Amino acid sequence: MILNHSKLQRCCGLMLVLLIVVAALVYAIGGEQFHYENRQTTMLTPTTPVGEITGDTVLTQALSVPGDTLLSVTLRAATYARDNTGTLLLELLDGEGNLLHTQAVDISQLQDNANFTFSLPQPLPVPGSGIVLRITAPDSQPGNAVTLYAGNSISATRAEVSADLDDADVLYLNGQPQTVALCTQVSARSSLWFGDVYGYLAAGVVVLAALFCLYLLHCNKVGKPFWVLLILSSLNRYHFLMEQLVARDFKTKYRRSVLGVIWSFLNPLLTMLVQYVVFSTLFKSDIPNFALYLLSGIVTYSFFSEATNMTLSSIVSNSSLITKVYVPKYIYPLTRVISSTVNFLFALIPLLGVMLFTRSPITWALLLMPLGILCLFCLSLGVGLLLSTAMVYFRDTQFLWTVVSMIWMYLTPVFYPESIIPAQLLPVYRCNPLYQILAFFRAILLEGVSPSPSCYLGVILSALIPLLLGAIVFRKNQNEFILYL
């Protein structure tokens, strides 16, 4: 028997209960995001007013709806700095001209050079022929009317990009095509199949976990070697050593430091302040809640960078122990990542402070943060196992990793928006594991909602693939480490 059987039974039971609770909690928080995906289009840069919309003016434009049901449409209006009166009539038609919805907007309530939104009382299914927006103002007269803005470009981070409008996209003024399109932002949602099958998937995972636990208990009872039991036995046997190694790393980091652990708070905050000034003032970043966006990226990447850099030399720097005393070699990189996790948890405190300061939504979605942290831990450990193995055979790995990690940072949207990446490169860009984890964190922190199902899949794969790859490479080569130390 490798482990105490009754203790292993309790651990397996606790794991199954925890798994059921997590599955229920994830669905309770993210139920709507599991059934629907909300999307919205980007509004064109307002450059051209269409002119006064009076009783004889008819504006028509086909809407690009990014989903199967329409939720709302936002437009940009101008009042000519007057207190106009009357009604703006907004009609939604299908491609064959049949009326789908009508809504009247009180012109006196519109503000000059500002957006206004008309939301549908019920989500409107998008017909196969598409949706056309028709705008009239039947009781408006010249001098007592408003105008709407149009354009033909999209604002990027530091430039205007042409929208490449064709005849089907442009605005029609009294039946005549224009060279611009109305500045609209269309919000829609698409139905997802994931929500309908989530219960079955969760039940399947619990059943598989239960079968795995039964097999684990059987192997432990008959004394059959199994890699999971061996790992659990090693962690149980060497937990005191692990505690000492983690404590040593933590004390070494802040040795002879006046502020000590306070630097775990100050480092991300000071870095954020510097980059916030640079990117929000000099480069004019227009990212909403840029402070929280930036700090979440800094904290996430800093943990990954610190964990991998510490793990890189974990085998080489402990060569005196490895050559004299038997200890499972994976203990050394594992404890380095655990040490970095302690610092990361301290860094989450100023992140919460920035959330409160910027009045970001504090929702139940924050309870999903541990899942993202666990995936980030597994990613860092997987990459660290690869690096520590390479470092044994090739000491220049430490210098190469300095360059590679810097490139990795610039390939991750830590301080810039994803929108600056060309659309054709996005599928490759999103293969970055840190991108997936950052997207997971930012959905929770910035939007206050559960990430989408694809985001869950992304963070899980970003954690498991590097971890499995690192474990396989490390295990295959660990017996030869002593020959190169």
Side-chain angles (χ1 to χ4, degrees):
M1 185 180 296
I2 299 177
L3 291 171
N4 182 283
H5 197 68
S6 60
K7 185 176 180 180
L8 184 60
Q9 284 180 322
R10 291 194 298 271
C11 290
C12 288
L14 180 62
M15 186 195 73
L16 291 176
V17 172
L18 182 62
L19 187 60
I20 294 172
V21 171
V22 169
L25 181 65
V26 167
Y27 185 78
I29 296 174
E32 183 176 347
Q33 282 73 36
F34 291 169
H35 286 90
Y36 305 104
E37 182 180 13
N38 294 330
R39 300 175 181 174
Q40 63 182 19
T41 59
T42 302
M43 180 177 287
L44 296 174
T45 302
T47 55
T48 307
V50 300
E52 285 189 307
I53 305 175
T54 57
D56 57 353
T57 304
V58 178
L59 304 177
T60 57
Q61 181 174 305
L63 295 179
S64 176
V65 183
D68 50 33
T69 55
L70 178 64
L71 300 178
S72 65
V73 180
T74 300
L75 301 106
R76 189 173 185 88
T79 65
Y80 298 100
R82 301 182 305 223
D83 295 326
N84 302 298
T85 58
T87 301
L88 201 63
L89 189 63
L90 308 175
E91 298 173 306
L92 297 176
L93 316 171
D94 63 17
E96 299 175 354
N98 299 311
L99 184 63
L100 301 176
H101 177 73
T102 301
Q103 187 163 333
V105 175
D106 185 358
I107 289 177
S108 64
Q109 300 300 313
L110 298 181
Q111 298 182 358
D112 195 28
N113 296 321
N115 295 340
F116 71 95
T117 301
F118 73 93
S119 301
L120 301 176
Q122 296 292 334
L124 177 65
V126 179
S129 57
I131 292 182
V132 176
L133 173 64
R134 183 169 64 192
I135 303 174
T136 56
D139 54 357
S140 293
Q141 301 296 326
N144 187 36
V146 297
T147 186
L148 297 178
Y149 273 103
N152 57 8
S153 64
I154 299 174
S155 177
T157 303
R158 292 184 293 274
E160 291 291 325
V161 180
S162 174
D164 295 329
L165 303 173
D166 56 31
D167 291 343
D169 301 321
V170 298
L171 167 69
Y172 281 76
L173 175 59
N174 295 329
Q176 299 299 316
Q178 309 297 301
T179 59
V180 293
L182 285 176
C183 295
T184 60
Q185 185 176 63
V186 180
S187 296
R189 76 181 185 190
S190 298
S191 300
L192 300 176
W193 58 267
F194 185 80
D196 298 330
V197 301
Y198 177 83
Y200 301 103
L201 292 175
V205 170
V206 172
V207 170
L208 290 175
L211 293 175
F212 180 79
C213 287
L214 290 175
Y215 180 74
L216 202 65
L217 291 169
H218 170 74
C219 292
N220 188 65
K221 187 174 183 180
V222 300
K224 181 180 178 180
F226 186 49
W227 63 272
V228 175
L229 290 175
L230 295 175
I231 291 176
L232 292 176
S233 178
S234 297
L235 294 178
N236 181 62
R237 182 177 180 182
Y238 296 103
H239 70 89
F240 179 76
L241 174 62
M242 293 177 62
E243 292 174 2
Q244 296 303 309
L245 290 175
V246 171
R248 182 196 66 179
D249 291 337
F250 191 77
K251 293 176 181 177
T252 300
K253 181 174 182 178
Y254 298 110
R255 181 182 297 168
R256 297 183 180 179
S257 171
V258 176
L259 296 180
V261 72
I262 297 178
W263 280 112
S264 294
F265 302 90
L266 290 180
N267 268 333
L269 280 177
L270 294 176
T271 304
M272 182 208 71
L273 287 174
V274 173
Q275 294 190 0
Y276 182 83
V277 171
V278 171
F279 291 104
S280 65
T281 304
L282 300 182
F283 291 97
K284 304 294 183 183
S285 175
D286 54 359
I287 300 174
N289 199 350
F290 183 60
L292 185 57
Y293 181 93
L294 179 60
L295 186 58
S296 61
I298 291 172
V299 168
T300 301
Y301 179 78
S302 295
F303 167 73
F304 175 76
S305 178
E306 178 185 342
T308 52
N309 279 304
M310 289 180 64
T311 308
L312 176 71
S313 59
S314 59
I315 299 298
V316 174
S317 61
N318 288 290
S319 58
S320 58
L321 285 174
I322 293 174
T323 55
K324 295 176 182 177
V325 181
Y326 172 76
V327 175
K329 298 176 182 62
Y330 62 82
I331 293 292
Y332 299 107
L334 177 60
T335 53
R336 291 292 177 88
V337 180
I338 294 175
S339 300
S340 298
T341 305
V342 174
N343 294 323
F344 177 71
L345 295 178
F346 280 115
L348 291 180
I349 297 176
L351 184 66
L352 179 60
V354 172
M355 287 187 66
L356 296 174
F357 180 78
T358 58
R359 298 183 180 180
S360 300
I362 306 294
T363 67
W364 290 108
L366 285 174
L367 295 177
L368 300 173
M369 284 290 289
L371 176 59
I373 295 172
L374 177 62
C375 292
L376 181 59
F377 179 92
C378 292
L379 169 63
S380 303
L381 179 58
V383 175
L385 290 172
L386 290 171
L387 292 173
S388 60
T389 302
M391 183 69 173
V392 172
Y393 299 101
F394 189 56
R395 296 296 197 273
D396 290 347
T397 301
Q398 57 187 323
F399 306 113
L400 290 174
W401 179 242
T402 301
V403 178
V404 172
S405 62
M406 181 179 64
I407 296 173
W408 200 330
M409 181 189 69
Y410 286 110
L411 290 177
T412 304
V414 173
F415 49 80
Y416 61 84
E418 177 189 345
S419 58
I420 70 173
I421 305 300
Q424 62 270 23
L425 296 180
L426 277 177
V428 177
Y429 181 78
R430 289 172 177 167
C431 291
N432 178 357
L434 275 180
Y435 166 86
Q436 296 293 339
I437 293 174
L438 257 183
F440 186 91
F441 284 148
R442 283 170 173 163
I444 296 171
L445 297 173
L446 294 172
E447 302 172 28
V449 299
S450 169
S452 65
S454 60
C455 194
Y456 278 97
L457 179 62
V459 294
I460 292 173
L461 292 179
S462 297
L464 290 182
I465 293 177
L467 181 60
L468 290 175
L469 182 61
I472 291 172
V473 172
F474 189 89
R475 184 174 183 273
K476 184 177 180 180
N477 293 277
Q478 62 178 345
N479 292 333
E480 299 180 359
F481 287 171
I482 196 171
L483 303 176
Y484 297 87
L485 293 177

